[in-house]
Amino acid sequence: MIRDILDKAISGKRLSKEDALELFRSDEIHIIGRVADMISTKFNSNRVYFVVNRHINPTNICINRCRFCAFSRSRGDDGAFELTIDEIIERIQEAEGLKEVHIVGGLHPEWPFSYYLDMLRKIKERFPEVHIKAFTAVEIDYLVRLSGLSLTETLQRLKEQGLDAMPGGGAEIFNKTVRDRLCPEKISGERWLEIHRAAHELGIKTNATMLYGHIESYEDRVDHLLRLREFQDQTGGFQAFIPLSYHPENTDIGGRFPSGIDDLKTIAVSRLVLDNFQHIKAYWIMLGEKLSQIALLFGADDIDGTVIEEHITHAAGGKTASSMEKFEIIDIIKRTGKVPVERDALYNIVEIYN
Ligand code: V47
Ligand code: SF4
Protein backbone atom coordinates (compact mmCIF):
# COMPACT_ATOMS: atom_id res chain seq x y z
CA MET A 1 0.00 0.00 0.00
CA ILE A 2 1.26 3.45 -0.99
CA ARG A 3 0.08 4.91 2.32
CA ASP A 4 2.17 2.43 4.33
CA ILE A 5 5.24 3.36 2.31
CA LEU A 6 4.60 7.05 2.82
CA ASP A 7 4.06 6.51 6.57
CA LYS A 8 7.40 4.76 6.64
CA ALA A 9 9.05 7.78 4.99
CA ILE A 10 7.33 10.20 7.37
CA SER A 11 8.57 8.25 10.39
CA GLY A 12 12.12 8.52 9.06
CA LYS A 13 12.55 4.88 8.02
CA ARG A 14 14.56 4.05 4.95
CA LEU A 15 12.55 2.95 1.89
CA SER A 16 13.37 -0.41 0.32
CA LYS A 17 13.81 -1.27 -3.33
CA GLU A 18 10.25 -2.65 -3.41
CA ASP A 19 8.88 0.52 -1.78
CA ALA A 20 10.61 2.68 -4.37
CA LEU A 21 9.29 0.54 -7.22
CA GLU A 22 5.77 0.72 -5.88
CA LEU A 23 5.98 4.51 -5.71
CA PHE A 24 7.13 4.72 -9.33
CA ARG A 25 4.30 2.39 -10.41
CA SER A 26 1.67 4.37 -8.52
CA ASP A 27 -0.58 7.01 -10.09
CA GLU A 28 -1.17 8.72 -6.74
CA ILE A 29 1.24 11.53 -7.44
CA HIS A 30 -0.60 14.09 -5.31
CA ILE A 31 -0.08 12.24 -2.06
CA ILE A 32 3.44 11.12 -3.00
CA GLY A 33 4.32 14.72 -3.86
CA ARG A 34 2.72 16.04 -0.65
CA VAL A 35 4.80 13.71 1.50
CA ALA A 36 7.95 14.45 -0.53
CA ASP A 37 7.29 18.14 0.21
CA MET A 38 7.00 17.35 3.94
CA ILE A 39 10.33 15.52 3.82
CA SER A 40 11.89 18.37 1.85
CA THR A 41 10.74 20.75 4.59
CA LYS A 42 12.45 18.55 7.19
CA PHE A 43 15.72 18.89 5.28
CA ASN A 44 15.57 22.52 4.20
CA SER A 45 12.71 24.16 6.07
CA ASN A 46 10.69 26.19 3.57
CA ARG A 47 13.76 27.36 1.67
CA VAL A 48 14.38 27.02 -2.05
CA TYR A 49 17.92 27.56 -3.26
CA PHE A 50 19.14 29.19 -6.46
CA VAL A 51 22.47 30.43 -7.78
CA VAL A 52 23.50 33.28 -10.05
CA ASN A 53 25.50 31.19 -12.48
CA ARG A 54 26.63 30.90 -16.04
CA HIS A 55 27.07 27.76 -18.08
CA ILE A 56 30.07 27.46 -20.36
CA ASN A 57 30.56 24.64 -22.86
CA PRO A 58 34.19 24.98 -24.00
CA THR A 59 33.51 22.68 -26.96
CA ASN A 60 30.87 20.39 -28.38
CA ILE A 61 33.47 18.34 -30.25
CA CYS A 62 33.45 14.93 -28.63
CA ILE A 63 35.07 11.58 -29.34
CA ASN A 64 32.10 9.81 -27.71
CA ARG A 65 28.83 9.46 -29.52
CA CYS A 66 26.19 8.97 -26.83
CA ARG A 67 22.96 8.03 -28.54
CA PHE A 68 20.85 10.44 -26.50
CA CYS A 69 23.16 13.40 -27.11
CA ALA A 70 22.21 15.99 -29.73
CA PHE A 71 24.88 18.41 -28.56
CA SER A 72 28.09 16.67 -29.65
CA ARG A 73 29.79 17.00 -33.03
CA SER A 74 32.85 15.63 -34.75
CA ARG A 75 35.59 17.97 -35.83
CA GLY A 76 34.64 19.73 -39.08
CA ASP A 77 30.90 19.03 -38.70
CA ASP A 78 28.44 21.87 -39.16
CA GLY A 79 27.90 23.56 -35.82
CA ALA A 80 31.09 22.23 -34.21
CA PHE A 81 32.63 24.85 -31.92
CA GLU A 82 35.62 25.31 -29.64
CA LEU A 83 36.25 28.27 -27.37
CA THR A 84 39.59 29.79 -26.54
CA ILE A 85 40.29 30.60 -22.91
CA ASP A 86 39.98 34.31 -23.77
CA GLU A 87 36.50 33.70 -25.19
CA ILE A 88 35.55 31.87 -21.99
CA ILE A 89 36.84 34.75 -19.86
CA GLU A 90 34.89 37.23 -22.02
CA ARG A 91 31.66 35.29 -21.47
CA ILE A 92 32.17 35.20 -17.71
CA GLN A 93 33.00 38.90 -17.65
CA GLU A 94 29.67 39.78 -19.27
CA ALA A 95 27.68 38.19 -16.43
CA GLU A 96 26.83 40.29 -13.40
CA GLY A 97 26.84 39.15 -9.78
CA LEU A 98 28.09 35.70 -10.73
CA LYS A 99 28.67 33.20 -7.93
CA GLU A 100 29.22 30.04 -9.98
CA VAL A 101 30.49 29.10 -13.39
CA HIS A 102 29.36 25.65 -14.57
CA ILE A 103 31.72 24.21 -17.18
CA VAL A 104 31.03 20.98 -19.10
CA GLY A 105 31.89 19.98 -22.63
CA GLY A 106 32.78 17.27 -25.09
CA LEU A 107 35.90 15.10 -25.01
CA HIS A 108 38.00 17.08 -27.46
CA PRO A 109 40.37 14.90 -29.51
CA GLU A 110 43.31 17.33 -29.49
CA TRP A 111 43.27 19.60 -26.46
CA PRO A 112 46.06 18.82 -23.96
CA PHE A 113 45.63 18.57 -20.18
CA SER A 114 47.36 21.96 -19.88
CA TYR A 115 44.40 23.65 -21.64
CA TYR A 116 42.12 22.62 -18.79
CA LEU A 117 44.61 23.65 -16.10
CA ASP A 118 45.15 27.03 -17.79
CA MET A 119 41.41 27.53 -18.13
CA LEU A 120 40.84 27.02 -14.39
CA ARG A 121 43.83 29.12 -13.38
CA LYS A 122 42.96 32.06 -15.61
CA ILE A 123 39.31 32.07 -14.54
CA LYS A 124 40.33 31.97 -10.88
CA GLU A 125 42.87 34.76 -11.36
CA ARG A 126 40.33 37.04 -13.03
CA PHE A 127 37.29 36.11 -10.93
CA PRO A 128 38.51 34.92 -7.52
CA GLU A 129 35.03 35.36 -6.02
CA VAL A 130 33.35 33.00 -8.50
CA HIS A 131 33.18 29.27 -7.72
CA ILE A 132 34.19 26.95 -10.54
CA LYS A 133 31.99 23.83 -10.79
CA ALA A 134 33.50 21.99 -13.70
CA PHE A 135 33.96 18.72 -15.58
CA THR A 136 31.76 15.66 -15.27
CA ALA A 137 33.29 12.35 -14.21
CA VAL A 138 33.34 11.46 -17.92
CA GLU A 139 35.62 14.43 -18.63
CA ILE A 140 37.74 13.71 -15.55
CA ASP A 141 38.31 10.15 -16.79
CA TYR A 142 39.45 11.62 -20.11
CA LEU A 143 41.74 14.09 -18.35
CA VAL A 144 43.32 11.22 -16.41
CA ARG A 145 44.21 9.63 -19.74
CA LEU A 146 45.55 12.96 -21.08
CA SER A 147 47.59 13.83 -17.99
CA GLY A 148 49.27 10.45 -17.57
CA LEU A 149 48.79 10.94 -13.82
CA SER A 150 46.71 8.90 -11.39
CA LEU A 151 43.06 9.80 -10.84
CA THR A 152 43.80 11.40 -7.48
CA GLU A 153 46.78 13.33 -8.82
CA THR A 154 44.73 14.59 -11.78
CA LEU A 155 41.98 15.83 -9.48
CA GLN A 156 44.55 17.35 -7.14
CA ARG A 157 46.11 19.32 -10.00
CA LEU A 158 42.69 20.57 -11.10
CA LYS A 159 41.84 21.53 -7.53
CA GLU A 160 45.11 23.43 -7.15
CA GLN A 161 44.26 25.47 -10.26
CA GLY A 162 40.80 26.40 -8.96
CA LEU A 163 38.31 23.54 -9.29
CA ASP A 164 35.80 24.06 -6.43
CA ALA A 165 33.14 21.46 -7.18
CA MET A 166 32.03 19.00 -9.86
CA PRO A 167 28.67 18.74 -11.63
CA GLY A 168 26.68 15.50 -11.67
CA GLY A 169 26.49 14.79 -15.40
CA GLY A 170 27.45 11.57 -17.10
CA ALA A 171 25.75 9.26 -14.60
CA GLU A 172 22.87 8.60 -17.06
CA ILE A 173 21.61 5.16 -15.92
CA PHE A 174 24.09 2.87 -14.18
CA ASN A 175 22.57 -0.44 -15.32
CA LYS A 176 25.05 -1.94 -17.78
CA THR A 177 22.58 -3.28 -20.35
CA VAL A 178 20.81 0.06 -20.67
CA ARG A 179 24.06 1.99 -20.54
CA ASP A 180 25.55 -0.13 -23.35
CA ARG A 181 22.59 0.75 -25.53
CA LEU A 182 22.59 4.45 -24.57
CA CYS A 183 26.26 5.32 -24.59
CA PRO A 184 28.54 2.37 -25.40
CA GLU A 185 31.73 4.49 -25.45
CA LYS A 186 31.09 6.18 -22.14
CA ILE A 187 32.78 5.17 -18.86
CA SER A 188 30.90 2.57 -16.81
CA GLY A 189 28.67 3.41 -13.87
CA GLU A 190 31.31 1.88 -11.58
CA ARG A 191 33.99 4.20 -12.97
CA TRP A 192 31.64 7.20 -12.60
CA LEU A 193 31.28 6.35 -8.91
CA GLU A 194 35.01 5.70 -8.49
CA ILE A 195 35.77 9.20 -9.80
CA HIS A 196 33.27 10.80 -7.45
CA ARG A 197 34.77 8.81 -4.56
CA ALA A 198 38.24 10.14 -5.38
CA ALA A 199 36.83 13.69 -5.56
CA HIS A 200 35.05 13.32 -2.21
CA GLU A 201 38.24 12.00 -0.61
CA LEU A 202 39.99 15.20 -1.72
CA GLY A 203 37.17 17.30 -0.28
CA ILE A 204 35.71 18.20 -3.68
CA LYS A 205 31.91 18.27 -3.41
CA THR A 206 29.97 16.89 -6.37
CA ASN A 207 26.43 16.39 -7.61
CA ALA A 208 24.70 13.30 -8.97
CA THR A 209 22.22 12.99 -11.83
CA MET A 210 19.96 10.41 -13.47
CA LEU A 211 18.84 10.70 -17.08
CA TYR A 212 15.30 9.26 -17.21
CA GLY A 213 12.44 8.83 -19.64
CA HIS A 214 14.21 7.09 -22.56
CA ILE A 215 14.60 3.30 -22.71
CA GLU A 216 15.07 2.55 -19.03
CA SER A 217 12.56 0.78 -16.76
CA TYR A 218 11.42 1.77 -13.28
CA GLU A 219 13.68 -1.04 -12.00
CA ASP A 220 16.65 0.70 -13.63
CA ARG A 221 15.74 4.01 -12.00
CA VAL A 222 15.42 2.39 -8.58
CA ASP A 223 18.72 0.56 -9.02
CA HIS A 224 20.35 3.90 -9.92
CA LEU A 225 18.91 5.71 -6.90
CA LEU A 226 19.85 2.93 -4.48
CA ARG A 227 23.43 2.82 -5.75
CA LEU A 228 23.70 6.56 -5.19
CA ARG A 229 22.16 6.28 -1.71
CA GLU A 230 24.58 3.51 -0.70
CA PHE A 231 27.51 5.52 -2.04
CA GLN A 232 26.41 8.67 -0.22
CA ASP A 233 26.28 6.66 3.04
CA GLN A 234 29.96 5.96 2.52
CA THR A 235 31.30 9.37 1.44
CA GLY A 236 28.67 12.04 2.20
CA GLY A 237 30.20 14.09 -0.63
CA PHE A 238 27.16 14.62 -2.84
CA GLN A 239 25.47 17.98 -2.48
CA ALA A 240 22.46 17.63 -4.75
CA PHE A 241 20.66 15.07 -6.86
CA ILE A 242 19.30 16.24 -10.22
CA PRO A 243 16.90 14.06 -12.23
CA LEU A 244 17.45 14.98 -15.90
CA SER A 245 14.33 14.78 -18.03
CA TYR A 246 15.16 13.17 -21.37
CA HIS A 247 14.88 15.38 -24.49
CA PRO A 248 14.50 13.23 -27.63
CA GLU A 249 14.86 15.59 -30.60
CA ASN A 250 17.86 15.21 -32.95
CA THR A 251 19.08 12.16 -31.01
CA ASP A 252 19.82 8.64 -32.26
CA ILE A 253 17.43 6.92 -29.89
CA GLY A 254 14.58 9.37 -30.46
CA GLY A 255 11.36 8.62 -28.60
CA ARG A 256 9.19 11.04 -26.64
CA PHE A 257 9.57 13.63 -23.90
CA PRO A 258 8.64 12.26 -20.46
CA SER A 259 5.22 13.47 -19.31
CA GLY A 260 4.90 16.22 -16.73
CA ILE A 261 3.46 13.59 -14.41
CA ASP A 262 6.58 11.46 -14.79
CA ASP A 263 8.78 14.51 -14.17
CA LEU A 264 6.98 15.35 -10.92
CA LYS A 265 6.84 11.74 -9.77
CA THR A 266 10.57 11.30 -10.38
CA ILE A 267 11.37 14.39 -8.32
CA ALA A 268 9.10 13.20 -5.50
CA VAL A 269 10.32 9.59 -5.44
CA SER A 270 13.93 10.80 -5.54
CA ARG A 271 13.29 12.99 -2.50
CA LEU A 272 11.75 10.06 -0.63
CA VAL A 273 14.37 7.45 -1.56
CA LEU A 274 17.51 9.60 -1.26
CA ASP A 275 17.20 10.14 2.48
CA ASN A 276 20.87 11.10 2.75
CA PHE A 277 20.91 13.85 0.09
CA GLN A 278 20.42 17.37 1.40
CA HIS A 279 19.21 18.80 -1.91
CA ILE A 280 17.00 17.72 -4.82
CA LYS A 281 17.23 20.02 -7.82
CA ALA A 282 14.45 20.81 -10.28
CA TYR A 283 16.54 21.90 -13.27
CA TRP A 284 14.25 24.50 -14.82
CA ILE A 285 16.05 24.38 -18.18
CA MET A 286 14.82 20.81 -18.67
CA LEU A 287 11.49 20.97 -16.82
CA GLY A 288 10.35 24.40 -17.95
CA GLU A 289 9.71 27.37 -15.69
CA LYS A 290 6.18 26.43 -14.69
CA LEU A 291 6.67 22.70 -14.09
CA SER A 292 9.83 23.33 -12.08
CA GLN A 293 7.79 25.76 -9.95
CA ILE A 294 5.35 22.94 -9.19
CA ALA A 295 8.28 20.57 -8.59
CA LEU A 296 9.18 22.85 -5.67
CA LEU A 297 5.99 21.57 -4.03
CA PHE A 298 6.86 17.96 -4.93
CA GLY A 299 10.13 17.55 -3.05
CA ALA A 300 12.63 19.79 -4.84
CA ASP A 301 14.39 22.54 -2.87
CA ASP A 302 16.67 23.91 -5.59
CA ILE A 303 15.90 25.30 -9.03
CA ASP A 304 19.48 25.78 -10.35
CA GLY A 305 20.13 29.30 -11.60
CA THR A 306 20.37 32.01 -14.19
CA VAL A 307 22.36 29.74 -16.62
CA ILE A 308 22.57 32.43 -19.39
CA GLU A 309 23.64 30.10 -22.21
CA GLU A 310 22.56 26.48 -22.66
CA HIS A 311 23.30 24.09 -25.53
CA ILE A 312 22.90 20.48 -24.35
CA THR A 313 19.15 20.56 -23.70
CA HIS A 314 18.33 22.99 -26.46
CA ALA A 315 20.10 20.87 -29.09
CA ALA A 316 17.71 18.07 -28.13
CA GLY A 317 14.48 20.07 -28.35
CA GLY A 318 14.54 22.15 -25.16
CA LYS A 319 11.71 24.69 -25.28
CA THR A 320 12.68 26.98 -22.40
CA ALA A 321 14.69 30.15 -22.64
CA SER A 322 18.41 29.71 -21.95
CA SER A 323 18.53 32.40 -19.36
CA MET A 324 16.44 33.56 -16.46
CA GLU A 325 16.94 36.83 -14.59
CA LYS A 326 17.53 36.66 -10.87
CA PHE A 327 14.33 38.60 -10.12
CA GLU A 328 12.31 36.11 -12.17
CA ILE A 329 13.75 33.16 -10.25
CA ILE A 330 12.95 34.90 -6.96
CA ASP A 331 9.40 35.54 -8.17
CA ILE A 332 8.86 31.93 -9.29
CA ILE A 333 10.00 30.66 -5.89
CA LYS A 334 8.04 33.25 -3.89
CA ARG A 335 4.83 32.34 -5.69
CA THR A 336 5.11 28.78 -4.32
CA GLY A 337 4.96 30.21 -0.80
CA LYS A 338 8.59 29.23 -0.17
CA VAL A 339 11.55 31.44 0.68
CA PRO A 340 14.13 32.08 -2.06
CA VAL A 341 17.70 31.68 -0.86
CA GLU A 342 20.58 32.70 -3.08
CA ARG A 343 23.54 30.36 -2.65
CA ASP A 344 26.99 29.79 -4.09
CA ALA A 345 28.22 26.52 -5.64
CA LEU A 346 28.88 25.06 -2.17
CA TYR A 347 25.47 26.02 -0.75
CA ASN A 348 26.84 28.86 1.36
CA ILE A 349 24.04 31.39 1.74
CA VAL A 350 24.52 34.63 -0.18
CA GLU A 351 21.14 36.22 0.60
CA ILE A 352 17.71 35.24 1.90
CA TYR A 353 14.75 36.94 0.16
CA ASN A 354 12.01 36.92 2.81
O1 V47 B 1 25.74 14.51 -18.77
C1 V47 B 1 22.61 14.91 -22.59
C2 V47 B 1 22.47 15.05 -20.07
C3 V47 B 1 23.98 16.16 -18.83
C4 V47 B 1 20.51 14.89 -23.06
O2 V47 B 1 25.43 19.18 -11.46
C5 V47 B 1 20.64 15.06 -21.69
O3 V47 B 1 24.43 21.07 -11.01
C6 V47 B 1 18.36 15.19 -21.46
O4 V47 B 1 24.61 17.12 -15.90
N1 V47 B 1 18.16 14.98 -22.78
C7 V47 B 1 24.62 17.51 -18.62
N2 V47 B 1 19.59 15.20 -20.89
C8 V47 B 1 23.76 18.37 -17.73
C9 V47 B 1 24.06 18.15 -16.28
C10 V47 B 1 23.73 19.18 -15.29
C11 V47 B 1 22.87 20.20 -15.63
C12 V47 B 1 22.57 21.16 -14.68
C13 V47 B 1 23.15 21.15 -13.44
C14 V47 B 1 24.02 20.12 -13.11
C15 V47 B 1 24.68 20.12 -11.79
C16 V47 B 1 24.32 19.12 -14.03
O5 V47 B 1 22.86 16.32 -19.67
C17 V47 B 1 24.76 15.10 -19.53
C18 V47 B 1 23.67 14.13 -19.86
O6 V47 B 1 23.39 13.32 -18.77
N3 V47 B 1 21.96 15.03 -21.44
N4 V47 B 1 21.73 14.81 -23.63
C19 V47 B 1 19.20 14.85 -23.63
N5 V47 B 1 18.99 14.64 -24.92
FE1 SF4 C 1 30.09 13.52 -25.56
FE2 SF4 C 1 28.88 14.04 -23.21
FE3 SF4 C 1 27.46 14.15 -25.53
FE4 SF4 C 1 28.30 11.79 -24.57
S1 SF4 C 1 26.81 13.21 -23.54
S2 SF4 C 1 28.48 12.50 -26.71
S3 SF4 C 1 30.27 12.31 -23.64
S4 SF4 C 1 29.17 15.49 -24.95
Side-chain angles (χ1 to χ4, degrees):
M1 277 279 291
I2 291 297
R3 267 153 218 273
D4 296 334
I5 300 170
L6 295 176
D7 280 344
K8 208 169 149 182
I10 291 168
S11 61
K13 294 203 187 87
R14 180 158 271 197
L15 299 190
S16 68
K17 177 177 165 188
E18 291 70 31
D19 295 335
L21 261 178
E22 206 168 318
L23 291 177
F24 269 122
R25 288 184 184 135
S26 167
D27 291 327
E28 296 188 62
I29 65 156
H30 298 97
I31 180 79
I32 296 172
R34 181 75 197 93
V35 174
D37 187 41
M38 285 169 60
I39 302 293
S40 178
T41 308
K42 275 195 196 173
F43 274 97
N44 296 297
S45 178
N46 58 348
R47 292 180 170 181
V48 169
Y49 292 87
F50 73 95
V51 60
V52 177
N53 66 351
R54 199 210 196 283
H55 283 207
I56 304 266
N57 304 125
T59 184
N60 61 352
I61 300 175
C62 187
I63 59 165
N64 278 1
R65 269 300 133 101
C66 301
R67 299 187 60 228
F68 54 78
C69 179
F71 161 76
S72 65
R73 295 283 184 280
S74 294
R75 207 147 200 206
D77 281 357
D78 271 359
F81 67 82
E82 43 195 7
L83 300 182
T84 63
I85 295 176
D86 284 345
E87 286 169 329
I88 292 175
I89 299 278
E90 225 171 86
R91 280 167 164 74
I92 300 174
Q93 200 175 324
E94 284 162 6
E96 264 176 49
L98 214 59
K99 295 292 179 297
E100 171 193 280
V101 53
H102 164 116
I103 307 175
V104 301
L107 310 182
H108 193 284
E110 276 138 43
W111 284 350
F113 184 49
S114 58
Y115 170 85
Y116 299 88
L117 296 174
D118 290 349
M119 183 201 304
L120 294 173
R121 194 187 68 253
K122 288 187 179 166
I123 294 173
K124 219 35 172 193
E125 273 169 12
R126 275 297 293 277
F127 312 100
E129 70 291 355
V130 178
H131 278 146
I132 307 177
K133 181 183 75 178
F135 313 136
T136 66
V138 179
E139 293 168 278
I140 298 289
D141 176 76
Y142 191 58
L143 296 186
V144 171
R145 283 187 264 161
L146 290 182
S147 70
L149 302 170
S150 71
L151 168 57
T152 300
E153 283 165 346
T154 304
L155 283 166
Q156 184 65 44
R157 294 285 295 280
L158 296 166
K159 190 179 172 194
E160 283 162 10
Q161 300 305 315
L163 183 76
D164 293 298
M166 274 167 53
E172 322 312 357
I173 284 281
F174 291 145
N175 174 279
K176 182 166 171 19
T177 314
V178 177
R179 199 172 181 88
D180 284 347
R181 284 178 61 199
L182 281 182
C183 44
E185 294 121 339
K186 196 167 245 169
I187 57 168
S188 66
E190 290 72 26
R191 178 69 173 158
W192 189 94
L193 288 168
E194 186 187 352
I195 288 166
H196 282 262
R197 185 183 300 280
H200 295 175
E201 279 168 1
L202 287 175
I204 302 169
K205 295 283 184 190
T206 72
N207 289 335
T209 58
M210 172 176 75
L211 178 65
Y212 67 92
H214 38 84
I215 55 169
E216 87 294 0
S217 63
Y218 286 149
E219 281 82 357
D220 298 324
R221 293 190 199 182
V222 170
D223 169 67
H224 191 94
L225 293 177
L226 295 192
R227 287 206 224 180
L228 287 174
R229 185 174 74 183
E230 191 188 333
F231 184 90
Q232 177 76 333
D233 276 344
Q234 296 163 11
T235 73
F238 286 130
Q239 299 196 110
F241 175 69
I242 309 138
L244 300 176
S245 185
Y246 173 57
H247 282 54
E249 290 178 13
N250 310 313
T251 68
D252 279 352
I253 44 172
R256 302 170 71 188
F257 286 88
S259 69
I261 292 168
D262 196 12
D263 287 332
L264 291 177
K265 195 197 283 183
T266 306
I267 291 272
V269 176
S270 303
R271 178 61 288 169
L272 294 171
V273 173
L274 296 177
D275 56 14
N276 51 7
F277 276 66
Q278 183 74 25
H279 302 289
I280 304 291
K281 190 186 279 188
Y283 182 37
W284 70 267
I285 289 275
M286 287 194 186
L287 296 179
E289 293 86 338
K290 291 194 176 186
L291 194 63
S292 45
Q293 185 181 39
I294 299 171
L296 301 179
L297 303 176
F298 273 71
D301 63 280
D302 190 305
I303 194 165
D304 203 77
T306 44
V307 181
I308 302 184
E309 188 181 344
E310 204 290 328
H311 295 289
I312 299 173
T313 313
H314 287 84
K319 307 279 188 283
T320 57
S322 279
S323 185
M324 193 154 30
E325 297 281 344
K326 178 168 151 180
F327 78 87
E328 295 176 282
I329 298 181
I330 292 172
D331 183 56
I332 282 183
I333 298 170
K334 277 202 167 162
R335 293 218 240 167
T336 65
K338 306 233 175 193
V339 177
V341 177
E342 184 181 346
R343 62 167 175 86
D344 63 18
L346 301 174
Y347 284 86
N348 299 306
I349 294 177
V350 176
E351 193 163 347
I352 301 176
Y353 294 87
N354 275 306

